[in-house]
Short mmCIF file of all heavy atoms in Angstrom, two decimals:
data_model
loop_
_atom_site.label_atom_id
_atom_site.label_comp_id
_atom_site.label_asym_id
_atom_site.label_seq_id
_atom_site.Cartn_x
_atom_site.Cartn_y
_atom_site.Cartn_z
N VAL Z 44 6.21 4.06 6.38
CA VAL Z 44 6.82 5.15 5.64
C VAL Z 44 7.18 4.61 4.29
O VAL Z 44 7.77 3.55 4.17
CB VAL Z 44 8.05 5.69 6.33
CG1 VAL Z 44 8.71 6.81 5.52
CG2 VAL Z 44 7.67 6.26 7.73
N GLU Z 45 6.82 5.39 3.24
CA GLU Z 45 7.09 4.99 1.88
C GLU Z 45 7.47 6.12 0.98
O GLU Z 45 7.26 7.28 1.40
CB GLU Z 45 5.81 4.23 1.35
CG GLU Z 45 4.58 5.01 1.37
CD GLU Z 45 3.29 4.18 1.20
OE1 GLU Z 45 3.43 2.96 1.02
OE2 GLU Z 45 2.22 4.77 1.19
N ASN Z 46 7.97 5.82 -0.17
CA ASN Z 46 8.19 6.86 -1.21
C ASN Z 46 7.47 6.37 -2.47
O ASN Z 46 6.73 5.37 -2.41
CB ASN Z 46 9.65 7.14 -1.44
CG ASN Z 46 10.42 5.86 -1.90
OD1 ASN Z 46 9.91 4.96 -2.50
ND2 ASN Z 46 11.77 5.92 -1.74
N GLU Z 47 7.72 6.97 -3.57
CA GLU Z 47 6.95 6.64 -4.75
C GLU Z 47 7.28 5.22 -5.30
O GLU Z 47 6.55 4.61 -6.06
CB GLU Z 47 7.18 7.66 -5.90
CG GLU Z 47 8.58 7.82 -6.33
CD GLU Z 47 9.38 8.84 -5.58
OE1 GLU Z 47 8.91 9.36 -4.55
OE2 GLU Z 47 10.49 9.18 -5.99
N ASN Z 48 8.39 4.65 -4.75
CA ASN Z 48 8.76 3.28 -5.18
C ASN Z 48 8.20 2.19 -4.27
O ASN Z 48 8.36 1.08 -4.56
CB ASN Z 48 10.29 3.17 -5.22
CG ASN Z 48 10.85 4.01 -6.34
OD1 ASN Z 48 10.32 4.16 -7.35
ND2 ASN Z 48 12.01 4.60 -6.05
N GLY Z 49 7.58 2.60 -3.11
CA GLY Z 49 6.93 1.66 -2.26
C GLY Z 49 7.37 1.83 -0.79
O GLY Z 49 8.05 2.78 -0.44
N PRO Z 50 6.97 0.82 0.04
CA PRO Z 50 7.24 0.98 1.45
C PRO Z 50 8.73 0.77 1.78
O PRO Z 50 9.45 0.02 1.11
CB PRO Z 50 6.37 -0.14 2.07
CG PRO Z 50 6.05 -1.08 0.95
CD PRO Z 50 6.17 -0.34 -0.35
N ILE Z 51 9.14 1.44 2.88
CA ILE Z 51 10.54 1.37 3.30
C ILE Z 51 10.71 0.88 4.75
O ILE Z 51 11.50 0.03 5.00
CB ILE Z 51 11.16 2.77 3.24
CG1 ILE Z 51 11.12 3.32 1.83
CG2 ILE Z 51 12.61 2.79 3.73
CD1 ILE Z 51 11.40 4.79 1.71
N VAL Z 52 9.81 1.45 5.62
CA VAL Z 52 9.99 1.10 7.09
C VAL Z 52 8.61 1.15 7.70
O VAL Z 52 7.73 1.92 7.26
CB VAL Z 52 10.98 2.04 7.78
CG1 VAL Z 52 10.61 3.54 7.68
CG2 VAL Z 52 11.34 1.66 9.20
N ALA Z 53 8.45 0.40 8.80
CA ALA Z 53 7.15 0.44 9.54
C ALA Z 53 7.46 0.23 11.00
O ALA Z 53 8.56 -0.23 11.41
CB ALA Z 53 6.25 -0.70 9.07
N GLY Z 54 6.51 0.64 11.85
CA GLY Z 54 6.66 0.39 13.31
C GLY Z 54 5.32 0.62 13.92
O GLY Z 54 4.33 1.05 13.33
N PHE Z 55 5.27 0.23 15.20
CA PHE Z 55 3.99 0.20 15.96
C PHE Z 55 3.96 1.09 17.12
O PHE Z 55 5.00 1.33 17.76
CB PHE Z 55 3.72 -1.25 16.43
CG PHE Z 55 3.53 -2.18 15.21
CD1 PHE Z 55 4.61 -2.72 14.57
CD2 PHE Z 55 2.29 -2.45 14.74
CE1 PHE Z 55 4.46 -3.58 13.50
CE2 PHE Z 55 2.09 -3.24 13.63
CZ PHE Z 55 3.20 -3.82 13.00
N LEU Z 56 2.83 1.59 17.46
CA LEU Z 56 2.60 2.53 18.59
C LEU Z 56 1.64 1.83 19.59
O LEU Z 56 0.46 1.64 19.32
CB LEU Z 56 2.03 3.86 18.15
CG LEU Z 56 1.82 4.91 19.25
CD1 LEU Z 56 3.13 5.33 19.91
CD2 LEU Z 56 1.08 6.07 18.73
N TYR Z 57 2.21 1.47 20.72
CA TYR Z 57 1.44 0.94 21.83
C TYR Z 57 1.06 2.09 22.71
O TYR Z 57 1.88 2.96 23.07
CB TYR Z 57 2.26 -0.01 22.69
CG TYR Z 57 2.58 -1.35 22.05
CD1 TYR Z 57 3.66 -1.50 21.22
CD2 TYR Z 57 1.82 -2.48 22.27
CE1 TYR Z 57 3.98 -2.70 20.61
CE2 TYR Z 57 2.12 -3.66 21.74
CZ TYR Z 57 3.22 -3.80 20.85
OH TYR Z 57 3.54 -5.02 20.34
N THR Z 58 -0.22 2.08 23.12
CA THR Z 58 -0.67 3.11 24.07
C THR Z 58 -1.00 2.42 25.43
O THR Z 58 -1.33 1.24 25.44
CB THR Z 58 -1.84 3.88 23.62
OG1 THR Z 58 -2.93 2.99 23.27
CG2 THR Z 58 -1.55 4.67 22.31
N THR Z 59 -0.85 3.20 26.53
CA THR Z 59 -1.00 2.61 27.82
C THR Z 59 -2.03 3.40 28.61
O THR Z 59 -2.43 4.49 28.15
CB THR Z 59 0.30 2.53 28.57
OG1 THR Z 59 0.66 3.92 28.87
CG2 THR Z 59 1.44 1.91 27.73
N ASN Z 60 -2.30 2.93 29.85
CA ASN Z 60 -3.15 3.69 30.70
C ASN Z 60 -2.37 4.68 31.59
O ASN Z 60 -2.86 5.20 32.56
CB ASN Z 60 -4.06 2.74 31.54
CG ASN Z 60 -3.24 1.90 32.48
OD1 ASN Z 60 -2.04 1.88 32.41
ND2 ASN Z 60 -3.93 1.13 33.27
N SER Z 61 -1.14 4.92 31.26
CA SER Z 61 -0.32 5.91 31.86
C SER Z 61 -0.09 7.08 30.86
O SER Z 61 -0.69 7.07 29.85
CB SER Z 61 1.04 5.26 32.33
OG SER Z 61 1.83 4.99 31.17
#
Side-chain angles (χ1 to χ4, degrees):
V44 176
E45 55 195 2
N46 63 22
E47 61 270 11
N48 295 323
I51 302 167
V52 63
F55 295 85
L56 180 65
Y57 290 83
T58 56
T59 70
N60 62 354
S61 69

